[in-house]
Amino acid sequence: MDLLAAVDLSTAAGMRRHAAAVRLHPVRRKRLGQFFTPAPIARFMASLVATRASRVRILDPGAGVGSLLAAVIEELCSRSIPPRSICATAIEVDWSLHDALQATMADCQRLCTLRGVEFEGEVLERDFIAHGVSALETQLGFESASSEKYDIVIMNPPYRKIGSRSPDRRRLESLGIETPNLYSAFLAIGAMLLRDGGELIAITPRSFCNGSYFRAFRHWFLGLMSFSRLHVIESRNEAFAEDGVLQENVIFRAHRGAAPPTVLVTSGSGSPERLRYRREIPVDELVLRDDPDMFIHLPVEPDASDVARIIRQLPCELADLGLTVSTGRVVDFRARDALRAAGDPGTVPLIYPTHFSDGSIVWPKGTRKPEAIVKNSRTLELLVPAGHYVLVRRFSAKEEPRRVVAAIYDPARVRSGSPVGFENHLNYFHRDGNGIDPLLARGLASFLNSTWVDRYFRQFSGHTQVNAGDLRKLRYPRPETLRSIGERARKPSLGQAEIDAIVEWALDASLDRRPESACGGWSEA
């Protein structure tokens, strides 16, 4: 029986996807960064196609078995007025997928014929970065004339880091593109291959939305492209659950040209029928005008704009508090020779995320890992002086209730007067490398542990990592307000509702009773 007659086009591609996934060796898939697109995700992405052109040129780079291409052809052919002609190009570097991809392309041909649509399709066995950069550099191929550019580029790009000295990195730099990952490199090349007004539809990790790692890429991309639709897939293990991927993902449509006044932002699963939140936001809420880092905010919850407004109105930057935040200095595999069991002579405490307990540090815990580090001339630069510090875990568990998790390091509860080592999976707040006022520390930790901060943080960060740079981007209450929070948060093991009530009281005091600009500066208690 003809496969296309038995099932719809995208389902047929989905069957090929399952078969290919079984055959592919996991090591090869990891090397290529391959994660195939499930049929429901492919259909959702195809539903975002906005073009109504009579002649449509489509590019699917990193096409796999053609799931996205099939979904787009199905979407265009199902319209009451389909295009007169479709020209489709699928590029896939993995030769083992080409029979399946050719079969999907043949299905697309048959469906278009049934709908009276002229169809031309080609499958290219090439490395997309090398192919695209070469075409763009030489002004040949895709770029030979405006008619050779694409109306639609749709992709589920591979996810893998690009080495700083790799050929791909050098190729991208030749076009003025600085980016550290294959997925963002695919986005950049795909955007450059679009005609003016053409649309890019992609599913990617959300990690490019914030942090210094993708800062240069955001500046470049947002200088060329404008978002018109973004959808957050809320569960980290939903979009590519079959492949064991736990990144939080975003699906978006962006077009080449000026930004629209508003952007539609939704969240939920990867299905248009299962939207949880839907909001139309001004484009200035997506990327703040005065943000040099160009963080991309996704305020999807109903009162998300109110949360953002309140946090942004707080009067102080971290420097106004006399504080900074750094990443823990001890990278345990590099300092392996200096690591010891807790209590060994000549050692000081080494604090890991596992020592967090209800907003405090409990050490030692009797874990399998060494919990102490030798104090000597070689390790001295890895340690910080005795004192109170606010610690924040750099990574959260995959579905943890809070993204930002803070705890107070109190030397009296660990080892009084002793220097301490903070492991690299922690960020720590300090004053010029030293500890901070205990009351201020308690107030700061409570503020960071509040639902207010967590909800705001989630608007621009969708991955498990909490970078020191992200914590520097926050605004904070005045020092005296943080101390007031600290006074009210003395009770051990405060519940979330109690923390939120204290912080909400302090926010009201900070925003309503004082001028916004009067920060007051940092002072020792």
Side-chain angles (χ1 to χ4, degrees), residues 209-241:
C209 291
N210 68 299
S212 58
Y213 198 57
F214 287 95
R215 185 179 187 273
F217 170 75
R218 285 193 301 274
H219 275 263
W220 183 92
F221 189 78
L222 293 172
L224 183 69
M225 304 293 293
S226 301
F227 291 109
S228 55
R229 180 77 160 83
L230 293 112
H231 176 76
V232 179
I233 300 178
E234 293 177 331
S235 175
R236 295 182 194 168
N237 58 6
E238 180 175 352
F240 301 104

Side-chain angles (χ1 to χ4, degrees), residues 280-492:
E280 192 106 12
I281 64 168
V283 69
D284 288 349
E285 285 191 25
L286 188 72
V287 180
L288 305 182
R289 287 181 180 272
D290 59 350
D291 182 6
D293 295 315
M294 299 190 79
F295 279 20
I296 298 167
H297 298 251
L298 297 173
V300 291
E301 295 178 327
D303 59 347
S305 294
D306 293 333
V307 171
R309 176 182 53 80
I310 288 169
I311 296 297
R312 289 172 192 157
Q313 283 181 353
L314 289 172
C316 294
E317 295 182 353
L318 194 56
D320 297 323
L321 304 177
L323 303 180
T324 190
V325 60
S326 303
T327 301
R329 302 175 187 177
V330 181
V331 181
D332 55 6
F333 69 87
R334 292 177 182 164
R336 190 175 291 115
D337 291 345
L339 304 188
R340 299 287 188 274
D344 280 7
T347 64
V348 300
L350 175 59
I351 306 302
Y352 284 89
T354 190
H355 294 117
F356 279 45
S357 179
D358 292 328
S360 300
I361 297 299
V362 174
W363 181 95
K365 273 197 169 180
T367 65
R368 293 182 180 179
K369 283 191 172 185
E371 296 184 84
I373 182 169
V374 173
K375 179 188 174 185
N376 58 31
S377 58
R378 290 186 297 110
T379 62
L380 207 55
E381 65 179 12
L382 303 179
L383 309 178
V384 298
H388 285 74
Y389 297 90
V390 174
L391 309 181
V392 174
R393 294 202 309 225
R394 287 183 59 207
F395 296 91
S396 58
K398 67 185 181 76
E399 297 293 356
E400 196 159 14
R402 282 206 321 273
R403 191 68 50 83
V404 181
V405 180
I408 300 168
Y409 177 81
D410 180 350
R413 298 184 60 177
V414 180
R415 187 184 290 175
S416 289
S418 170
V420 60
F422 297 134
E423 196 267 338
N424 192 247
H425 287 80
L426 297 173
N427 296 308
Y428 66 102
F429 288 80
H430 57 94
R431 179 177 181 249
D432 296 329
N434 295 283
I436 63 180
D437 165 41
L439 203 56
L440 185 69
R442 188 182 296 114
L444 177 59
S446 297
F447 172 72
L448 292 169
N449 280 330
S450 70
T451 301
W452 286 92
V453 167
D454 189 71
R455 290 184 62 196
Y456 178 67
F457 190 85
R458 287 171 184 269
Q459 291 183 22
F460 63 80
S461 177
H463 52 90
T464 59
Q465 191 163 348
V466 178
N467 300 303
D470 297 334
L471 297 170
R472 294 187 196 105
K473 294 286 290 186
L474 288 175
R475 295 194 67 83
Y476 295 85
R478 299 173 186 80
E480 62 268 26
T481 305
L482 288 172
R483 289 193 180 89
S484 295
I485 295 174
E487 285 282 5
R488 293 167 181 259
R490 288 182 179 274
K491 175 185 169 184

Side-chain angles (χ1 to χ4, degrees), residues 5-258:
V7 294
D8 60 87
L9 184 57
S10 57
T11 300
M15 293 167 65
R16 296 188 185 102
R17 177 183 69 86
H18 280 293
V22 171
R23 291 195 307 270
L24 286 174
H25 195 282
V27 174
R28 179 177 176 81
R29 291 187 68 181
K30 184 176 181 180
R31 180 172 60 82
L32 295 174
Q34 292 175 321
F35 300 102
F36 296 143
T37 314
I41 298 287
R43 291 192 187 101
F44 183 25
M45 292 173 65
S47 74
L48 303 183
V49 170
T51 185
R52 299 290 169 177
S54 60
R55 180 175 183 270
V56 180
R57 291 178 56 82
I58 305 168
L59 173 64
D60 182 357
V65 301
S67 299
L68 287 173
L69 183 63
V72 171
I73 300 299
E74 199 169 51
E75 165 69 22
L76 293 172
C77 287
S78 70
R79 291 177 175 177
S80 57
I81 305 178
R84 288 203 301 269
S85 69
I86 296 174
C87 179
T89 299
I91 300 179
E92 175 52 56
V93 70
D94 187 349
W95 60 268
S96 71
L97 301 175
H98 273 237
D99 287 347
L101 182 53
Q102 290 281 13
T104 298
M105 190 69 80
D107 284 351
C108 293
Q109 170 77 70
R110 288 197 291 274
L111 180 61
C112 285
T113 300
L114 286 172
R115 291 289 288 149
V117 178
E118 294 180 13
F119 183 81
E120 178 184 348
E122 62 176 345
V123 173
L124 303 178
E125 184 186 335
R126 297 177 189 172
D127 177 288
F128 176 62
I129 300 298
H131 182 72
V133 169
S134 176
L136 290 165
E137 283 181 333
T138 60
Q139 297 295 296
L140 296 174
F142 308 70
E143 288 285 294
S144 60
S146 60
S147 62
E148 297 300 314
K149 291 188 178 180
Y150 289 88
D151 302 282
I152 301 167
V153 175
I154 188 165
M155 66 171 76
N156 171 13
Y159 179 79
R160 177 171 57 79
K161 289 182 179 180
I162 302 175
S164 59
R165 298 182 181 179
S166 68
D168 281 341
R169 197 66 166 254
R170 292 194 297 272
R171 292 182 185 115
L172 293 163
E173 288 172 350
S174 73
L175 296 177
I177 300 168
E178 183 183 338
T179 189
N181 200 290
L182 265 183
Y183 87 82
S184 49
F186 267 58
L187 292 178
I189 299 299
M192 295 182 76
L193 295 175
L194 283 170
R195 65 168 176 81
D196 288 344
E199 55 191 319
L200 170 64
I201 298 168
I203 178 169
T204 74
R206 196 176 152 189
S207 51
F208 76 94
C209 291
N210 68 299
S212 58
Y213 198 57
F214 287 95
R215 185 179 187 273
F217 170 75
R218 285 193 301 274
H219 275 263
W220 183 92
F221 189 78
L222 293 172
L224 183 69
M225 304 293 293
S226 301
F227 291 109
S228 55
R229 180 77 160 83
L230 293 112
H231 176 76
V232 179
I233 300 178
E234 293 177 331
S235 175
R236 295 182 194 168
N237 58 6
E238 180 175 352
F240 301 104
E242 296 174 9
D243 298 316
V245 178
L246 298 179
Q247 286 278 348
E248 188 167 295
N249 295 281
V250 61
I251 295 171
F252 65 81
R253 179 182 66 221
H255 69 270
R256 186 164 174 169

